[in-house]
Amino acid sequence: PSVSSAQSCVESAVRRSPLSPAELYGGLTFTEATAMTLPFVEERLRLEAETGVAHHIDHIIPLAAGGTHTKENLQVLTAKENIAKGASE
């Protein structure tokens, strides 16, 4: 389930970004981007299991603003924090 969740996250990023896949993934292939995303998915799932609170993988610089889907631009936030962040941008 974690790998398919990582793949979904990477696929979703392509649909939401104005960048080409090569730019979006910082030069990584789809497979490499999926592998890079996997620890974030695992952290999200761990936090959800530990706290019972929904978490999201967030792009620090939003994709719509030209942010990339790279480890430097990803973080795990509570769903509430991520939704509030989106509302303020």
Side-chain angles (χ1 to χ4, degrees):
S2 294
V3 172
S4 63
S5 184
Q7 289 172 332
S8 294
C9 186
V10 173
E11 290 167 352
S12 173
V14 169
R15 289 190 301 272
R16 296 181 300 146
S17 174
L19 302 175
S20 72
E23 294 171 312
L24 177 64
Y25 303 149
L28 300 177
T29 66
F30 177 84
T31 301
E32 292 167 334
T34 298
M36 178 274 304
T37 305
L38 192 55
F40 292 93
V41 171
E42 291 170 344
E43 179 68 359
R44 177 183 64 82
L45 294 172
R46 183 190 68 76
L47 288 168
E48 287 178 352
E50 228 175 66
T51 66
V53 174
H55 284 71
H56 291 172
I57 298 171
D58 171 63
H59 294 89
I60 298 165
I61 299 171
L63 296 174
T68 58
H69 189 82
T70 57
K71 65 182 176 183
E72 298 81 16
N73 195 42
L74 296 177
Q75 64 183 348
V76 178
L77 296 177
T78 66
K80 183 177 180 180
E81 291 170 324
N82 191 31
I83 292 166
K85 178 185 169 200
S88 70
E89 293 174 348

